[in-house]
Amino acid sequence: MIVMKMSVVVPTYNLGSYVKGLLANLAKQTVDFELWLVDDGSTDETVIRLNRFVEGNPNFHVVQLEHQGVSVARNYGLRHATGDGIVFIDGDDLIASNFVEILEQGLDQGAVMAVVGYEWYRRPAVQTDSFVELDQKSMFDQVSHHGTEVGGYVWNKAFRTSAIKAANLTFDESLHLAEDYLFTATFVAHTPGKYVYLSRVLYTKRNRPDSTLHKANRQDRNEENHVFDQIYSLQKFIE
């Protein structure tokens, strides 16, 4: 089996036709990669589409779990990924054809995390084709607050696998919101090293009306506030 530099983990759940766009984008990537499509117990045709997509490619995998939430799905992919870098993509979003390649190039520069620009209500004011380097503190400032250019989301980033393991890091499966912010901020807080950012938009977040974010209630929002209190407390590790 060919050893891939990058592993891509995609959680899915009742995505309907939305997943077709991402699958088409994954098929056009400019480098080879390992793919884990981890379905969270879909009851629509999502898994049928996933299984058709991976046919004939031994580096592409589909797993269907019982419905337990996005963090359980991501953690499954995290446990089984074999690449030097791990990329998380949401199953209803879109990526550029060179998305995986550019993130791979960022890690090849010796970075512990590589980040690319995204479009979701906003986009970077200036888009460039060269990575800029950020130190640990600067990156933590970016990933620990809402509305920053880098963002605390996991889906526009590649994480060095060895650094995730060194931090003993997984997604908190008890959370309904901001689990990605907590993962990213915890990674940065416990991982000194080089961080790189390319402001070119290579990831497009799509607004799906029935997504977890749009269905969040007051309890979920209170939980999110508590998560950010946890995130702010992590700053002590890098000061």
Side-chain angles (χ1 to χ4, degrees):
M1 183 179 71
I2 299 174
V3 177
M4 299 297 173
K5 283 189 174 182
M6 303 295 281
S7 294
V8 175
V9 176
V10 182
T12 63
Y13 178 65
N14 285 353
L15 295 182
S17 62
Y18 278 91
V19 74
K20 292 191 294 184
L22 177 62
L23 296 180
N25 291 167
L26 289 170
K28 296 176 182 177
Q29 291 303 296
T30 51
V31 292
D32 292 330
F33 58 97
E34 177 186 58
L35 177 64
W36 287 93
L37 297 165
V38 187
D39 187 74
D40 183 34
S42 289
T43 56
D44 65 358
E45 295 186 350
T46 296
V47 176
I48 295 174
R49 291 191 171 103
L50 301 183
N51 282 320
R52 287 173 180 166
F53 178 72
V54 305
E55 286 180 358
N57 191 329
N59 295 306
F60 287 7
H61 313 277
V62 175
V63 177
Q64 186 170 34
L65 309 176
E66 294 181 3
H67 181 47
Q68 300 174 81
V70 66
S71 290
V72 173
R74 286 186 181 135
N75 282 337
Y76 183 96
L78 189 56
R79 288 194 304 273
H80 290 82
T82 63
D84 295 330
I86 298 181
V87 179
F88 298 98
I89 303 173
D90 284 355
D92 50 355
D93 293 339
L94 301 172
I95 56 174
S97 60
N98 61 343
F99 175 74
V100 176
E101 180 181 10
I102 295 299
L103 289 172
E104 181 179 302
Q105 290 175 2
L107 294 187
D108 281 346
Q109 294 184 17
V112 294
M113 177 196 287
V115 186
V116 296
Y118 68 89
E119 183 168 15
W120 187 29
Y121 298 111
R122 57 165 293 168
R123 55 168 45 211
V126 177
Q127 296 190 50
T128 63
D129 293 315
S130 298
F131 282 102
V132 296
E133 185 174 340
L134 287 80
D135 61 20
Q136 182 187 15
K137 186 177 186 306
S138 298
M139 181 57 75
F140 186 81
D141 289 342
Q142 283 286 317
V143 303
S144 59
H145 297 86
H146 282 301
T148 64
E149 187 168 317
V150 167
Y153 320 106
V154 294
W155 34 252
N156 64 326
K157 300 170 176 66
F159 302 82
R160 188 168 294 281
T161 307
S162 59
I164 294 177
K165 292 179 178 177
N168 195 26
L169 187 57
T170 59
F171 289 89
D172 187 332
E173 296 177 0
S174 70
L175 297 177
H176 296 93
L177 285 179
E179 78 293 327
D180 54 347
Y181 265 88
L182 183 59
F183 182 95
T184 305
T186 304
F187 177 93
V188 176
H190 292 287
T191 310
K194 178 180 178 181
Y195 293 80
V196 295
Y197 170 53
L198 182 81
S199 61
R200 177 67 53 186
V201 172
L202 301 179
Y203 193 102
T204 300
K205 186 72 179 169
R206 293 203 284 182
N207 292 308
R208 188 162 51 89
D210 58 345
S211 68
T212 301
L213 184 65
H214 285 89
K215 294 191 295 185
N217 56 33
R218 181 176 296 180
Q219 181 178 347
D220 293 330
R221 293 301 180 186
N222 288 337
E223 179 181 78
E224 182 181 29
N225 291 336
H226 177 67
V227 171
F228 273 90
D229 287 340
Q230 289 181 258
I231 289 172
Y232 300 147
S233 72
L234 293 170
Q235 191 165 3
K236 63 179 180 287
F237 292 107
I238 57 175
E239 289 184 336

